[in-house]
Amino acid sequence: MKKIFYIIICALGSGIFLSSCKKDFLDLTPKDQISDPQFWKTTQDMELYVNGLYNVLPGWLLSGSGGNPLLDAGTDMALSVGLWLPNKNRLDGVVSIPSSGGGWSWSNVRNVNYFLENATRVPDGGLKEHYIGEAYFFRAWNYFDLLQKFGDLPIIKQTLTPDKKDDLYGVRSSRTDVVNFIISDLELAVSKLKKKNEVPAQRVSRDIASLFLSRVALYEGTWEKYHQTDAFKGKTNGDAFLNKAASAAKAVIDGGIYSLAAGNPNQVYYEIFNQINLGSNPEILMWRSYSMAQEITNQVWNWPNGSGYTQEMVRMYLCTDGLPISLSPLYKGETDIDLLILNRDPRLVQSIMNPGDPVLINLKNDTTKYTLPMLGGAQNGPTGYESQKFRRPQMDPATGGNSGELAYIIFRYAEALLNYAEAKAELGQLTQADLDLTINKLRTRVGMPPMVLASIKTDPNWPDYGYSLSGALHEIRREREVELLSEGFRLNDLMRWSAHKLFVGVRPKGAFYTDAFKKAFPGLAIDPSNFLDPYKTTLTGPNGGWGFKPDRHYLLPIPSNELTLNTSLKQNPGY
């Protein structure tokens, strides 16, 4: 069987699946009706089936006439206007009980269970155990997706048929038991998966499963710690999960296979996110490619994509002396983007567009420079802080048009560092050595001063979560927001931290409405301090802010038809 890996894009030839190089094996659905005597005979059959399980992994929206909003759009850190906004609706409490669908889907779990039931038919040897490890990884992935949406879940370990009524009409297990099940699957995956250099490029490897295990355990450890007194609590105080999060992240660190990408502190962060090929980047555990030649392209080029970062987000960045803007004498204010970026963490200027940045570099290497953001309108940025991150200005040499080939990062090493530091801080075990191993490596890369545990300054503008945090945890959370900006973590971070006090009744704002903005884009909504106020008339909560209800919206509702079909299921709190 011919296999050409362009990350997870391949050509597959077989009597069961027919595809070409134009098909992404992330989109090849496993056929659970495969039962002929010719299948489940070889590890190649296993590989062919498990390839279809990869379709759950994230990627950019594919080519078309729309846009690709920032991955955190609709949260307190990034806004989007005129595009599909599930995060905005969630934070605004605009969530109704669907009659069906709503994310309550078990087909992906069933596909994995079918594989695991049939994998034993294949003779031992080759990569058999590795492919079984991949399957356990994907069952954990699918369960974690459902857990984040719905909390308690039925634990289903076999394919469901009409005669298996106990499973078909089973009850939901506690979220604590579900996460223990997910972690058990991931520990099995780690035990079976091979190392990066022992399998073809971009298959799930041992380190990827360990990093994902740390993500799951950190999520649940903090969830159970900060939701102990509400309707969404688990069975524990979270410590056992936090210990697993630290151990799994440390395994990735100690493995020595991955490291942070190095380079010019004023460019290196931006350059991670504007590449076509990430195969040689030491920081990337898994990524997904897009090919103009193979007609598998993304919509990331379609900027400004109706998205922009918020005033609250840009205020998070420290000054170059390592102090927050509330304390640093280096801070110059925010009445102009040119002032805003002076003396700040270099990740700020590498994350938002600034006057003079290249918007488009044509085939003659002539550059169109950025002057002002495009404000107003469904596809324009609503905040004045357009994203530099994920922007590739180079035109495609084959077509002479915008490139649709920007790579999508699925897992990167920086998350392991952040997960380890946060878990150790949550456990009260953080040391200076831990910071030097993790947070300070991220800061050193961009030329920022290290975090010194014994001398963290109290920032009067630290977010008010409604509960107390150590200075170290405040700064680790800040580092997470800055380093993982718009990589799709923010909503889940807010949920696991029980952070509703940050945003309920609050309306996120944009940049200062300068005279230049007013001349180019007159009549935009502003607040009393002259900052852009794009959600001024759209949010439903108190004070015209987010309408999230803390006794309800930490989870999504189960569709009504599922409650009718299975009377053992109970609706989530508040619905």
Side-chain angles (χ1 to χ4, degrees):
M1 181 171 57
K2 180 181 180 182
K3 300 189 293 289
I4 305 174
F5 279 83
Y6 296 91
I7 309 318
I8 304 177
I9 296 170
C10 66
L12 290 173
S14 127
I16 298 169
F17 289 111
L18 296 177
S19 65
S20 72
C21 287
K22 293 184 179 180
K23 288 291 286 183
D24 180 342
F25 84 41
L26 291 176
D27 298 322
L28 293 177
T29 304
K31 309 300 185 184
D32 61 17
Q33 68 269 29
I34 295 171
S35 59
D36 64 272
Q38 301 308 311
F39 209 74
W40 305 113
K41 296 295 185 183
T42 68
T43 55
Q44 285 75 25
D45 294 337
M46 297 176 72
E47 178 190 13
L48 181 61
Y49 188 100
V50 84
N51 285 351
L53 303 181
Y54 279 74
N55 64 6
V56 299
L57 295 178
W60 301 121
L61 296 178
L62 296 183
S63 55
S65 59
N68 208 122
L70 295 171
L71 298 179
D72 287 335
T75 71
D76 58 336
M77 295 303 163
L79 305 185
S80 189
V81 175
L83 297 170
W84 187 53
L85 298 174
N87 291 345
K88 173 180 175 292
N89 291 342
R90 180 81 169 273
L91 292 197
D92 199 25
V94 185
V95 180
S96 57
I97 301 174
S99 59
S100 62
W104 185 266
S105 173
W106 293 86
S107 59
N108 290 326
V109 171
R110 185 181 191 276
N111 290 337
V112 178
N113 286 342
Y114 182 83
F115 173 88
L116 291 172
E117 289 173 357
N118 285 280
T120 56
R121 296 164 56 186
V122 178
D124 293 341
L127 291 176
K128 175 179 176 177
E129 289 301 303
H130 175 83
Y131 293 135
I132 291 173
E134 288 190 24
Y136 280 116
F137 171 87
F138 282 112
R139 187 164 69 180
W141 179 281
N142 295 320
Y143 255 95
F144 186 53
D145 177 63
L146 290 164
L147 175 91
Q148 291 170 101
K149 295 171 182 172
F150 301 106
D152 299 352
L153 297 169
I155 295 177
I156 303 170
K157 301 180 183 179
Q158 57 186 336
T159 52
L160 298 184
T161 57
D163 61 306
K164 297 173 181 174
K165 297 188 184 302
D166 288 345
D167 288 324
L168 277 173
Y169 304 110
V171 299
R172 299 164 71 188
S173 295
S174 159
R175 62 176 302 122
T176 304
D177 295 336
V178 172
V179 175
N180 280 324
F181 171 61
I182 294 171
I183 289 175
S184 174
D185 270 1
L186 287 171
E187 289 174 340
L188 274 171
V190 169
S191 72
K192 293 176 179 295
L193 289 168
K194 292 186 176 294
K195 297 178 182 179
K196 173 188 177 183
N197 61 356
E198 297 175 328
V199 292
Q202 291 308 105
R203 297 205 75 91
V204 172
S205 64
R206 188 178 304 166
D207 282 313
I208 290 171
S210 291
L211 178 53
F212 186 55
L213 197 162
S214 79
R215 182 187 299 180
V216 171
L218 180 65
Y219 180 91
E220 191 60 20
T222 49
W223 182 289
E224 299 210 7
K225 178 175 182 176
Y226 294 110
H227 285 278
Q228 289 187 63
T229 60
D230 62 27
F232 310 102
K233 63 185 178 182
K235 293 180 176 180
T236 77
N237 67 358
D239 281 0
F241 292 124
L242 291 169
N243 275 303
K244 284 187 177 290
S247 296
K250 191 65 159 45
V252 178
I253 297 169
D254 290 345
I257 295 176
Y258 299 95
S259 60
L260 294 179
N264 182 337
N266 297 311
Q267 293 180 305
V268 62
Y269 182 77
Y270 163 73
E271 289 173 348
I272 296 170
F273 305 100
N274 77 335
Q275 302 300 310
I276 290 175
N277 189 309
L278 290 166
S280 62
N281 190 308
E283 185 168 343
I284 308 305
L285 280 71
M286 177 173 272
W287 60 286
R288 182 173 179 175
S289 75
Y290 293 82
S291 169
M292 300 285 283
Q294 295 176 337
E295 299 177 15
I296 302 173
T297 66
N298 58 57
Q299 297 179 32
V300 180
W301 62 267
N302 191 9
W303 288 98
N305 270 327
S307 299
Y309 299 121
T310 64
Q311 176 196 66
E312 290 77 11
M313 182 63 228
V314 299
R315 287 177 174 174
M316 294 298 297
Y317 291 81
L318 299 172
C319 292
T320 52
D321 57 6
L323 294 174
I325 62 174
S326 61
L327 299 176
S328 175
L330 300 179
Y331 180 58
K332 301 301 181 183
E334 56 191 3
T335 55
D336 187 275
I337 292 179
D338 286 326
L339 287 177
L340 177 80
I341 62 176
L342 288 176
N343 307 321
R344 302 291 294 281
D345 183 328
R347 285 172 291 188
L348 175 58
V349 75
Q350 295 175 64
S351 297
I352 67 170
M353 292 296 290
N354 310 280
D357 287 338
V359 175
L360 189 66
I361 302 173
N362 66 26
L363 301 183
K364 296 180 180 179
N365 212 32
D366 296 328
T367 302
T368 303
K369 301 287 189 177
Y370 183 84
T371 54
L372 289 173
M374 295 295 294
L375 296 172
Q379 290 295 320
N380 290 338
T383 68
Y385 299 127
E386 292 182 11
S387 185
Q388 178 91 280
K389 193 171 179 177
F390 310 119
R391 183 192 289 268
R392 181 171 176 80
Q394 294 87 352
M395 296 181 73
D396 180 73
T399 66
N402 297 83
S403 174
E405 298 193 341
L406 184 71
Y408 186 99
I409 297 171
I410 300 173
F411 290 101
R412 70 180 179 105
Y413 181 66
E415 184 192 351
L417 303 183
L418 291 161
N419 289 356
Y420 181 74
E422 185 179 346
K424 296 293 280 188
E426 289 286 5
L427 289 164
Q429 300 172 358
L430 186 73
T431 66
Q432 185 61 46
D434 293 329
L435 287 177
D436 293 340
L437 181 68
T438 58
I439 300 301
N440 289 337
K441 287 187 180 296
L442 295 168
R443 291 191 174 188
T444 298
R445 166 163 67 179
V446 292
M448 285 291 290
M451 184 190 302
V452 179
L453 191 60
S455 58
I456 294 173
K457 304 291 185 184
T458 299
D459 181 359
N461 293 333
W462 273 336
D464 179 6
Y465 293 94
Y467 50 81
S468 62
L469 284 179
S470 67
L473 262 176
H474 270 295
E475 291 304 318
I476 288 170
R477 289 188 181 186
R478 184 202 301 270
E479 194 73 22
R480 183 178 181 88
E481 292 161 14
V482 166
E483 179 66 30
L484 299 181
L485 172 67
S486 210
E487 294 179 43
F489 290 92
R490 183 59 178 174
L491 179 66
N492 289 330
D493 286 347
L494 293 174
M495 297 299 103
R496 67 186 176 91
W497 291 336
S498 186
H500 59 267
K501 191 169 182 182
L502 293 185
F503 57 84
V504 172
V506 176
R507 197 164 62 247
K509 307 297 172 56
F512 191 80
Y513 196 30
T514 65
D515 290 341
F517 285 178
K518 291 175 183 176
K519 182 178 179 180
F521 309 103
L524 298 182
I526 58 174
D527 71 1
S529 299
N530 200 44
F531 288 91
L532 292 172
D533 195 353
Y535 284 175
K536 189 171 186 176
T537 61
T538 61
L539 300 183
T540 65
N543 306 311
W546 301 109
F548 183 97
K549 294 179 175 57
D551 61 349
R552 178 185 304 178
H553 295 128
Y554 273 107
L555 296 174
L556 295 177
I558 296 175
S560 56
N561 72 320
E562 299 293 340
L563 300 176
T564 301
L565 290 169
N566 181 2
T567 56
S568 296
L569 294 178
K570 304 300 180 185
Q571 185 56 276
N572 275 329
Y575 292 102

